[in-house]
Amino acid sequence: VGLGTIFHVPCWHCSHKETLLKYGFHFESDTDTELIPKLAKFVHDILNEDLGSDGGDKQVVPFTQIVMDVMRQLEGAYALICKSPYYPNELVACKRGSPLLLGVKETGDMRTDINVESDLSAEGHHGKPKEYYLASDANAIVEHTRRVLVIEDNEVVHMNDGAVHIFKFDSDKSRRLLRPAKGNFEHFMQKEIHEQPDSLTMTMRGRLIRGGEQKAKGILLGGLKDHLKTIRRRRRILFIGCGTSYNAALAAIPVVEELSGIPVTMEIASDLLDRQGPIYREDTAIFVSQSGETADTLQALEYAKSNGALCVGITNTVGSAIARGTHFTKAYTSQIALIVMLALALGDDSLSTQQRRNAIMDDLYNLPSKVRDVLKLDKDMKELAALLMDEQSLLVFGRGYNYATAMECALKVKEVSLMHAEGIVAGEMKHGPLALVDETLPIIVIATRDASLNKQQSVIQQLKTRKGRLIVMCTEGDAEFMCPDRTCRIIEVPKVQDCLQPIINIVPLQLLAYHLTVFRGFNVDQPRNLAKSVTTQW
């Protein structure tokens, strides 16, 4: 089995090598690149023997199954392209943590859903041939085609006799392909909300080191590790973004300041450009963009580079313009997690914050399961949406870490359900917003346990005094404490470290925005008057 790695594969368990040595395999080096194809050959022989292959040309076990069984044994980040003389007209590619792009050069139309089981035949829809290119960077294939599909973690590309199929790989032991595309979901937006535990897992894989008996907990940001010392010496960090990406950075600013000790400011990309705000050589400018192609953010990137700032990019699109233009290269919740990991990496040289950092890393590890728990509120959020569907406005009050949660909730409600919504920092309630409160206006107050809890409880009391129609999000077990007279509708969520709580808190509000949109009869996956799809926005 011939197999080529197109990105570095970190060292993993030596037990696989010991097993192969016992079965007569010989090694010319200590590299993982040699170990992986020999493991694939071993898997091929075992599976075909178990299924009764006579050893002839006909292979009983599909090539994709062999590759997926090998993937189950690998740890760390990798991207692989696999070919074998046993499967002469086939090629299989897969990745986890490292970039992998599929370039397509063709004259006919082509489906572009890469999360579905796709059939991109070489003849296309009009009988015209296609060419396919696999690479780790768009620059490698730009001379051949500008049409690129970004392969996601745990997706498997199978080329066979001129056709390309892209499958979602299930990493458990069942050896099956996952359901295609939307599966049991009615809309892509709903699907992406429910896939956030997997998105978070992929974001942290290879970056979050849990530690154990022989190694310490830590954060490994491969693309940024050479710049951490430089960033620590800089006088300021600027986060620059638009919309949801701006909110994600806003949610993580406090922990970046806390662990790095560096002043942090936020900039809306378009406003920075309009003002021509000062950026200096001593600054680190961090650009947050989900698509990596946001025009205002790209212009702000060029502006910051022209002023000599160190530019860092956080994007969920490998090969995008921002990923190519910055020194480091995920969805709203994943972006927050990644910025928190950046804060942990920046604070790694401080003994005084070690206990705090360890607690955050422990909760990061458990975060996907916590998000799965909070997704169980789907039915409750659907019931709440049914009650709110005919309303004209919604206010969302947040504070501290969860001011960003209030902003993001309001953004999604107005963007997809076309209901007027405002995210408001609770400390400003008396400076205007309080005048709007009456028994008809629905108000969400985010009051989970953190340093702002007592102040949020005071906000709730003031709103209740004015007969506000309250929906209170609180930590599990706090319902009686937050609303003893039971006049509020309660959303209870699991508790995590304060800097990670926005990731938990936004999920039921995403579900609320989704169900509101469905009940109000609007297109969930294509907001009105917007040129982009919501499915890239969570």
Side-chain angles (χ1 to χ4, degrees):
V1 177
L3 201 141
T5 59
I6 62 171
F7 202 73
H8 175 64
V9 185
C11 189
W12 43 288
H13 295 306
C14 61
S15 59
H16 294 298
K17 185 171 184 178
E18 294 172 356
T19 298
L20 294 175
L21 287 170
K22 290 178 182 178
Y23 278 85
F25 285 85
H26 299 283
F27 290 86
E28 304 296 327
S29 70
D30 293 323
T31 64
D32 298 318
T33 307
E34 181 182 6
L35 181 58
I36 294 172
K38 290 184 176 177
L39 178 61
K41 177 64 166 64
F42 176 70
V43 170
H44 166 270
D45 293 348
I46 293 296
L47 291 180
N48 276 280
E49 180 180 341
D50 290 344
L51 294 176
S53 172
D54 59 6
D57 293 336
K58 182 175 178 57
Q59 301 300 309
V60 175
V61 180
F63 196 10
T64 52
Q65 182 177 332
I66 293 172
V67 174
M68 288 188 288
D69 277 7
V70 171
M71 289 174 68
R72 293 187 179 99
Q73 311 303 318
L74 303 183
E75 298 179 4
Y78 61 83
L80 305 174
I81 299 175
C82 316
K83 276 190 64 65
S84 168
Y86 297 111
Y87 305 91
N89 297 314
E90 299 182 47
L91 182 148
V92 178
C94 58
K95 60 148 297 193
R96 184 184 296 153
S98 298
L100 179 62
L101 309 177
L102 172 64
V104 183
K105 182 178 181 180
E106 47 87 55
T107 56
D109 295 327
M110 185 193 71
R111 292 168 59 188
T112 57
D113 266 334
I114 67 169
N115 284 332
V116 304
E117 182 180 335
S118 303
D119 183 2
L120 314 181
S121 68
E123 295 301 313
H125 293 286
H126 305 289
K128 296 180 180 179
K130 297 175 183 175
E131 295 178 359
Y132 299 105
Y133 302 85
L134 288 163
S136 59
D137 191 290
N139 292 328
I141 57 178
V142 68
E143 65 180 282
H144 303 289
T145 179
R146 293 184 178 273
R147 195 165 194 178
V148 173
L149 301 181
V150 179
I151 306 304
E152 302 291 343
D153 280 359
N154 290 332
E155 286 185 333
V156 177
V157 179
H158 182 212
M159 297 185 183
N160 185 18
D161 289 329
V164 175
H165 303 265
I166 301 178
F167 302 105
K168 194 78 173 177
F169 163 65
D170 188 355
S171 59
D172 65 22
K173 300 298 183 180
S174 60
R175 295 178 181 174
R176 60 180 175 85
L177 298 176
L178 292 179
R179 52 171 174 74
K182 294 186 293 183
N184 296 324
F185 300 112
E186 296 181 11
H187 303 94
F188 283 103
M189 175 177 163
Q190 182 187 26
K191 171 179 176 285
E192 293 217 345
I193 293 172
H194 284 268
E195 285 185 346
Q196 286 178 110
D198 295 332
S199 173
L200 287 164
T201 299
M202 293 174 188
T203 298
M204 294 184 288
R205 179 177 288 128
R207 298 184 175 110
L208 175 62
I209 302 170
R210 192 183 186 193
E213 295 180 358
Q214 297 182 345
K215 59 181 179 180
K217 297 175 184 176
I219 299 295
L220 179 62
L221 300 178
L224 196 59
K225 62 182 180 180
D226 295 334
H227 300 282
L228 289 175
K229 290 183 179 179
T230 302
I231 295 174
R232 291 183 188 122
R233 292 195 298 266
R234 299 282 169 135
R235 73 174 192 175
R236 181 178 62 155
I237 296 174
L238 293 88
F239 280 94
I240 302 168
C242 304
T244 285
S245 294
Y246 177 92
N247 294 337
L250 184 64
I253 276 182
V255 75
V256 176
E257 288 183 324
E258 175 191 352
L259 297 181
S260 71
I262 304 170
V264 180
T265 60
M266 278 295 311
E267 291 282 359
I268 296 174
S270 59
D271 184 58
L272 174 67
L273 293 168
D274 290 344
R275 296 182 356 255
Q276 291 290 288
I279 295 181
Y280 305 102
R281 293 181 60 86
E282 297 83 5
D283 291 337
T284 299
I286 300 179
F287 295 85
V288 188
S289 171
Q290 304 204 0
S291 67
E293 304 287 349
T294 308
D296 288 335
T297 308
L298 286 172
Q299 292 176 33
L301 167 61
E302 293 305 315
Y303 175 68
K305 289 172 68 176
S306 68
N307 282 277
L310 172 65
C311 295
V312 175
I314 296 176
T315 175
N316 64 337
T317 307
V318 175
S320 65
I322 285 179
R324 295 191 300 271
T326 55
H327 301 284
F328 175 61
T329 142
K330 249 171 178 332
Y332 178 73
T333 51
S334 295
Q335 284 178 331
I336 296 174
L338 191 54
I339 298 172
V340 170
M341 287 193 286
L342 171 60
L344 291 166
L346 289 172
D348 189 49
D349 62 341
S350 173
L351 290 176
S352 63
T353 62
Q354 184 172 345
Q355 185 175 356
R356 164 75 159 154
R357 286 185 284 108
N358 286 343
I360 294 171
M361 285 186 279
D362 287 341
D363 276 7
L364 272 172
Y365 185 83
N366 295 316
L367 199 57
S369 65
K370 296 284 188 181
V371 173
R372 286 190 185 92
D373 289 341
V374 82
L375 282 167
K376 296 174 184 178
L377 293 172
D378 190 19
K379 183 178 178 181
D380 294 336
M381 293 303 100
K382 186 174 182 178
E383 292 175 356
L384 179 57
L387 296 175
L388 299 178
M389 61 179 291
D390 294 324
E391 302 298 332
Q392 298 302 310
S393 291
L394 175 70
L395 297 186
V396 191
F397 286 101
R399 202 180 202 120
Y401 283 103
N402 283 294
Y403 171 44
T405 307
M407 295 281 286
E408 179 63 11
C409 172
L411 176 62
K412 287 306 159 202
V413 168
K414 71 180 74 171
E415 183 179 28
V416 296
S417 73
L418 308 187
M419 176 190 292
H420 172 258
E422 292 297 329
I424 302 171
V425 62
E428 290 293 298
M429 182 184 65
K430 294 182 179 179
H431 302 285
L434 200 58
L436 297 172
V437 179
D438 60 23
E439 64 274 10
T440 65
L441 178 65
I443 303 170
I444 297 176
V445 180
I446 303 168
T448 46
R449 286 187 174 269
D450 59 23
S452 302
L453 179 61
N454 291 337
K455 293 179 179 179
Q456 287 299 81
Q457 190 178 21
S458 175
V459 167
I460 292 170
Q461 293 304 317
Q462 293 180 61
L463 293 172
K464 287 172 67 177
T465 299
R466 290 158 179 83
K467 300 181 180 180
R469 186 180 169 191
L470 294 185
I471 303 158
V472 176
M473 177 179 287
C474 65
T475 303
E476 288 177 339
D478 281 359
E480 290 293 328
F481 172 67
M482 299 307 300
C483 191
D485 60 4
R486 301 185 180 182
T487 58
C488 312
R489 188 172 183 105
I490 297 293
I491 303 170
E492 292 188 84
V493 295
K495 184 182 186 303
V496 293
Q497 290 289 311
D498 52 7
C499 60
L500 301 176
Q501 197 67 52
I503 295 174
I504 298 295
N505 292 355
I506 195 60
V507 175
L509 302 177
Q510 292 173 341
L511 293 168
L512 175 62
Y514 166 75
H515 289 300
L516 272 174
T517 309
V518 174
F519 282 133
R520 289 164 67 88
F522 299 114
N523 188 329
V524 175
D525 293 322
Q526 184 59 58
R528 189 172 69 187
N529 301 330
L530 297 182
K532 58 188 178 184
S533 170
V534 174
T535 56
T536 63
Q537 287 299 296
W538 293 111

